[in-house]
Amino acid sequence: MVDIATRVWNHKWKIDPIVRSLIDTDFYKLLMCQSVFRNKPDTTVTFSLINRTKSVRLADLIDEGELREQLDHVRSLSLSRGESTWMRGNTFYGKRQMFSPEFMDWFENLRLPPYHLEKRDGQYELTFEGAWPEVMLWEIPALSILMELRGRAVLRDMGRFELQVLYARAMTKLWEKIEKLQPLDTLRVADFGTRRRHSFLWQDWCVQAMQEGLGDAFPGTSNCLIAKNRDLEAIGTNAHELPMVYSALAQTDAELAQAPYDVLSDWQEEHDGNLRIILPDTYGTKGFLKNAPDWLAGWTGIRVDSGDPATAAETAIKWWQDRGEDPTKKLVIFSDGLDADKIVSLHTQFQNRTRVSFGWGTMLTNDFKGLTSGDTLAPFSLVCKAISANGKPTVKLSDNPNKAMGPAAEVDRYKRVFGVGEQDRVEVVV
């Protein structure tokens, strides 16, 4: 097991780069990338870093030269022979050759495109523009780099023993969470914590702790590199990025209303079983389910990623019942802002009414809250989103208006088209 505190004490990025592989990313990114490569390869998309927690002034904490070195390092990466063999030959979700030869030929020759970086009002403006299949692969590395550089900036002034104590406390904190989860029957909780992790080494440690502490209740990790190295299942399906871009490409209100279902129609052509998971909240869960075509009710399950999770699960259960489906055979994946107590509560509430699973993110891989003076390592909300497609702005409404994004006029239009009324605001912490 790696002595993380000593590695942090001796940190040199050329020895310990933050992102060390193109598959040091979430599995759903690679699945979506293949879908985009097949269906929308010529779409030009712009991604942008968005720090929702303005009090964390990243440009004041992180040296620009160090940030550029890390970003440039990612641009030098390419798929290794072992990584290519894993992707081409491994079984994912029970399916061999998940990734087509055509996609793999393209991916093996890929280098990530250029980035644009500048400082403004204590924050970094970091953007990526280019062909959608290429620029979309910047999202996870960019977030991982900013999160870890912020952590390194805080840790730089700590002594060797202070670091040892810090990590010992963080390890204890995580293990106590695992102990809370151990009594739960039929628990399924996966690691979804790549994008806002404390560091790669820490995420890898958390995954090992989950393996030992939860056994079969821990099905795997969204991080492809860790899944490969630890012989674990790579976990993930799809994200808001797909309907956001498809919707931006719509020419009329009618096409806009249809766009989220076009995404899933394309997805259905490629995937079956547990990869047929609906993410319904991009433009409001209630409206999405109300207008959903009948064939979507036959999909395996739903992922809940905004708003009140219990309310969203109840909405899904009623929708399945109204469509003649048995909710006890369906899967609800909770993935928004989870921590151990919330996992226990939701599991207890829904375990006998539907199949329940959890994607545990930031509070698994980056919970150093309360462990430093001034709480300088507390997690915060940093995202990297597609903000335009072929020059047209993207919009996300969510079931929580605090997560909404897009120009005000377009947000109003999308609310009208998708019939989104008043929504309850929920604080976004991570």
Side-chain angles (χ1 to χ4, degrees), residues 29 134 168 331 396 404:
K29 264 294 177 181
E134 297 179 3
L331 177 63
K396 180 185 176 189

Side-chain angles (χ1 to χ4, degrees), residues 178-245:
I178 291 172
E179 288 178 327
K180 285 185 179 180
L181 301 180
Q182 286 173 338
L184 300 181
D185 292 332
T186 69
L187 175 69
R188 300 281 287 177
V189 53
D191 161 40
F192 275 20
T194 299
R195 64 181 54 234
R196 286 193 287 266
R197 68 193 182 195
H198 171 72
S199 71
F200 174 83
L201 295 177
W202 181 249
Q203 182 182 13
D204 190 43
W205 187 91
C206 293
V207 166
Q208 293 177 76
M210 294 281 280
Q211 280 184 277
E212 180 173 317
L214 295 179
D216 292 340
F218 178 64
T221 172
S222 67
N223 186 285
C224 297
L225 182 60
I226 294 176
K228 170 184 170 294
N229 291 346
R230 300 289 173 194
D231 195 24
L232 288 165
E233 290 287 336
I235 305 292
T237 55
N238 54 68
H240 302 104
E241 174 185 339
L242 293 178
M244 287 172 67
V245 173

Side-chain angles (χ1 to χ4, degrees), residues 64-123:
E64 183 177 343
E66 191 173 3
L67 174 55
R68 289 186 181 275
E69 282 184 318
Q70 294 288 350
L71 294 169
D72 291 341
H73 173 73
V74 174
R75 293 200 66 212
S76 75
L77 294 173
S78 61
L79 212 60
S80 73
R81 184 184 298 273
E83 292 162 353
S84 177
T85 299
W86 180 75
M87 289 185 64
R88 285 180 180 268
N90 199 42
T91 297
F92 302 99
Y93 283 81
K95 179 180 178 181
R96 291 190 67 81
Q97 292 188 325
M98 178 72 76
F99 299 100
S100 71
E102 296 79 13
F103 174 75
M104 288 305 305
D105 289 344
W106 170 84
F107 192 28
E108 286 164 352
N109 289 288
L110 177 68
R111 301 292 188 281
L112 293 195
Y115 60 87
H116 177 76
L117 176 68
E118 60 181 278
K119 291 181 178 181
R120 192 181 305 275
D121 299 328
Q123 302 293 344

Side-chain angles (χ1 to χ4, degrees), residues 288-314:
F288 178 94
L289 295 179
K290 177 183 177 182
N291 297 308
D294 290 338
W295 53 265
L296 266 180
W299 274 33
T300 301
I302 277 178
R303 180 157 73 92
V304 175
D305 197 56
S306 65
D308 177 68
T311 300
E314 294 288 1

